[in-house]
Amino acid sequence: MADDLLKFVSIDQKMPEKRKAEERVGDFDEVYARYNIEGAEEQASRCSQCGVPFCHIHCPLGNNIPDWLRLTAENRLEEAYEMAASTNNMPEICGRICPQDRLCEGNCVIEKDFKSVTIGSVEKFITDNAWEQGWIKPITPRVELKESVGIIGAGPAGLAAAEELRKAGFQVHIYDRHDRAGGLLIYGIPGFKLEKDVVERRTGRLEQSGITFHLDFEVGDEAGLSELREKHDALLIATGVYRARGLKVPGVGLGNIREALDYLTASNKVGMGDDVPEYNDGSLNATGKNVVVIGGGDTAMDCVRTAVRQGAKSVKCVYRRDRENMPGSVREVQNAEEEGVEFVWLAGPEAFTGDDVVEGVRVYEMRLGAPDATGRQAPEPVPNSSYTLDCDLAILALGFEPEDLPAMFGAPELRVTRWGTVTVDHQSMMTNLDGVFAAGDIVRGASLVVWAIRDGRDAADSIKKYLKEKARQVA
Ligand code: FAD
Ligand code: SF4
Ligand code: SF4
């Protein structure tokens, strides 16, 4: 083993090649290339095989990272894949879009002196390679069980739960309001972070595994919660959070002021060959426009970088705190800057100007004041500091909240928190309704893909126990 590992002293960290900004702004393809076999094996060999692996502790899925790094370094790639897949339903997706600097890689012990092992990129390599080698096959359960489980929402939480339940032999039905499965993986996150065939390869495999997808199926419209409860032996709510946070300033009702997710969904649909009237008529298309995106999270980063790729005249990101205090990932801010996005730090929107459609965003300067209850310095406006930015398209990326599920599902008996997230027993993930479970953003609030997968897996475990117990009682 020693020959293949512990090479962090002699081998430098090397990320997969990153395409040059001038090239990547011309398309929606991923920014980072993939390791070749030699590159992946070499980078995996940098791991020091820690006795207490902090990378593993800080991975929400508890991935056995040192083990699959060792197997990769030893060229045992099929075993590496099996090990990676044993704790993660979509390792190649997490390898692409997890904020590794805050999770596994940020906690790698060699990070400080030698720069971390490139865990995410190796994880992506292992699983992309497994797909290409034909090692990833549809699921064939050892037994077919008669019980059926209904899952509302085909995002990462719903898909991870579906896979685990199908492996156990349950009849799984997924309901989603969209025409494609994947949730935010397909219609939120842009192709330059996650190409869409990577997502469709996963959902296609689940379909081939006997999972039934009911697409264009809005729960609350096509069927209420009680109908689905009658139809299935257990239900999982994995609907994510979709109510966009608004802004209350003068002029916010003008034309060409749009919500981030409408803008990103349209762009993703166009990328997949759909005809999108609001893109064609220019209302959800940044081409030739001065674009101002308001917000500082990952959604805002995805919007500014999409606008650059659509050929906007200028793209500005207005955020009320400074670079050090923005929620978006450091890597994404850097990518956006390389691609020509201008950040207007410490600025808050005061009003939108224009007659029918927006022509400008009046902003005031902010400064960071005393820390608030969360310990973050609260931004406060600087008096008499307003100025106006030219704007033909304003995009609001201020975060998401849950929709009113009890009303939407015709189920006032479903208990939610004061923020609208679904209340669950955190041991079992069951809601206050017998046999109805919940997972992902609709329980946590807006979070990460890797946490949604974790929740989906945990919920599947609880559903299996619940149905086993129910069958025992009947017997
Ligand atoms: P979702 O992915 O939201 O899926 C929920 C599904 O439920 C959707 O398909 C929806 O159509 C369906 N649904 C909702 N209501 C109904 C209904 N009534 N009837 C039928 N179907 C319904 N996370 C990362 O880790 N890395 C990133 O880089 C990243 N980038 C992001 C970029 C954007 C623009 C956004 C918005 C989020 C990003 N996230 C990222 C967060 C991540 O996408 C979410 O945390 C994750 O997708 C949550 O998974 P989920 O399964 O709970 O919900
Ligand atoms: Fe790191 Fe995410 Fe992979 Fe876990 S799932 S090892 S946090 S990239
Ligand atoms: Fe390897 Fe870093 Fe994890 Fe240690 S913390 S086992 S060096 S990847």
Side-chain angles (χ1 to χ4, degrees):
M1 177 180 108
D3 284 353
D4 291 320
L5 286 155
L6 311 173
K7 293 195 178 154
F8 57 91
V9 181
S10 57
I11 297 175
D12 287 339
Q13 184 202 60
K14 194 162 175 236
M15 291 291 288
E17 211 171 309
K18 182 170 156 187
R19 292 200 296 143
K20 291 204 167 45
E22 315 80 84
E23 182 198 329
R24 63 187 199 239
V25 295
D27 59 47
F28 281 81
D29 296 345
E30 284 178 11
V31 167
Y32 294 92
R34 203 184 83 193
Y35 288 133
N36 57 23
I37 294 189
E38 295 74 29
E41 290 177 3
E42 186 176 80
Q43 289 299 307
S45 75
R46 296 181 68 242
C47 173
S48 80
Q49 296 288 295
C50 304
V52 181
F54 285 100
C55 55
H56 154 85
I57 294 167
H58 288 271
C59 167
L61 289 162
N63 280 347
N64 299 313
I65 299 165
D67 292 349
W68 45 253
L69 288 172
R70 178 172 52 77
L71 291 164
T72 306
E74 292 171 357
N75 190 248
R76 293 160 63 186
L77 296 179
E78 191 165 0
E79 290 165 84
Y81 161 69
E82 278 163 10
M83 177 71 73
S86 67
T87 51
N88 189 350
N89 302 77
M90 326 174 181
E92 74 284 26
I93 292 180
C94 292
R96 283 169 165 85
I97 60 167
C98 270
Q100 286 102 8
D101 50 347
R102 285 190 262 147
L103 301 170
C104 53
E105 293 180 15
N107 290 282
C108 171
V109 293
I110 65 168
E111 162 69 10
K112 196 162 155 279
D113 296 323
F114 298 95
K115 289 198 172 165
S116 73
V117 178
T118 52
I119 300 168
S121 302
V122 175
E123 189 178 22
K124 164 177 156 181
F125 165 81
I126 292 171
T127 316
D128 280 348
N129 180 59
W131 279 105
E132 282 156 22
Q133 301 297 328
W135 298 332
I136 305 182
K137 303 234 163 37
I139 302 158
T140 43
R142 261 180 303 197
V143 285
E144 284 293 347
L145 302 171
K146 64 176 185 349
E147 289 99 332
S148 81
V149 182
I151 297 179
I152 312 171
L159 295 176
E163 177 168 347
E164 295 306 304
L165 290 162
R166 185 66 195 129
K167 279 184 197 159
F170 292 104
Q171 310 308 312
V172 181
H173 292 255
I174 305 188
Y175 302 88
D176 201 288
R177 54 158 71 129
H178 279 305
D179 55 350
R180 288 185 178 92
L184 291 172
L185 300 177
I186 200 91
Y187 282 146
I189 300 172
F192 49 82
K193 276 165 63 182
L194 174 62
E195 285 172 11
K196 299 304 148 187
D197 54 356
V198 174
V199 182
E200 293 198 314
R201 190 165 68 176
R202 278 279 158 205
T203 50
R205 170 175 173 264
L206 295 182
E207 210 168 354
Q208 289 157 20
S209 305
I211 291 170
T212 310
F213 285 85
H214 305 262
L215 299 177
D216 286 318
F217 191 112
E218 172 94 34
V219 176
D221 189 0
E222 310 275 335
L225 195 70
S226 54
E227 276 169 87
L228 292 183
R229 284 183 81 188
E230 270 170 37
K231 204 163 163 191
H232 298 289
D233 299 285
L235 269 190
L236 175 66
I237 301 174
T239 47
V241 288
Y242 283 91
R243 188 159 63 188
R245 280 198 197 116
L247 197 58
K248 284 192 188 123
V249 298
V252 76
L254 290 171
N256 288 357
I257 301 177
R258 304 302 302 250
E259 301 294 351
L261 206 53
D262 292 341
Y263 175 66
L264 293 173
T265 304
S267 174
N268 276 317
K269 279 181 178 260
V270 169
M272 285 182 280
D274 293 358
D275 183 40
V276 181
E278 282 198 290
Y279 178 87
N280 300 338
D281 71 16
S283 47
L284 284 175
N285 180 349
T287 310
K289 294 189 175 133
N290 291 309
V291 177
V292 176
V293 176
I294 298 168
D298 284 332
T299 304
M301 294 310 102
D302 289 350
C303 291
V304 287
R305 298 179 67 202
T306 297
V308 169
R309 282 162 176 76
Q310 289 178 346
K313 195 160 143 200
S314 72
V315 184
K316 293 190 175 61
C317 179
V318 170
Y319 180 56
R320 61 200 180 124
R321 290 187 161 94
D322 58 6
R323 177 191 288 268
E324 286 67 41
N325 289 288
M326 81 180 294
S329 117
V330 178
R331 191 170 68 179
E332 295 305 299
V333 176
Q334 201 186 336
N335 282 336
E337 279 181 326
E338 287 169 10
E339 291 165 10
V341 173
E342 192 187 321
F343 284 85
V344 187
W345 304 113
L346 289 166
E350 188 177 54
F352 294 97
T353 58
D355 291 330
D356 294 329
V357 294
V358 63
E359 288 169 17
V361 186
R362 201 164 66 231
V363 298
Y364 43 72
E365 288 174 24
M366 312 280 278
R367 62 180 164 225
L368 294 179
D372 62 15
T374 65
R376 289 177 87 199
Q377 281 183 284
E380 54 191 34
V382 176
N384 305 318
S385 62
S386 303
Y387 59 98
T388 301
L389 302 170
D390 286 344
C391 175
D392 312 303
L393 173 63
I395 301 173
L396 307 183
L398 301 160
F400 302 95
E401 284 164 5
E403 292 160 283
D404 183 351
L405 281 201
M408 207 165 87
F409 285 176
E413 66 280 16
L414 177 68
R415 194 174 302 146
V416 295
T417 64
R418 64 191 165 104
W419 300 279
T421 47
V422 173
T423 308
V424 293
D425 170 320
H426 285 282
Q427 291 296 318
S428 67
M429 309 202 54
M430 186 141 66
T431 67
N432 64 312
L433 307 180
D434 184 53
V436 180
F437 298 76
D441 279 5
I442 192 59
V443 175
R444 292 178 179 273
S447 178
L448 293 173
V449 168
V450 66
W451 280 113
I453 297 172
R454 168 68 196 267
D455 284 354
R457 293 173 68 89
D458 287 351
D461 278 348
S462 291
I463 292 171
K464 283 186 241 172
K465 280 190 205 127
Y466 170 84
L467 291 176
K468 204 169 161 192
E469 178 61 18
K470 212 166 150 184
R472 199 185 58 78
Q473 282 170 9
V474 172

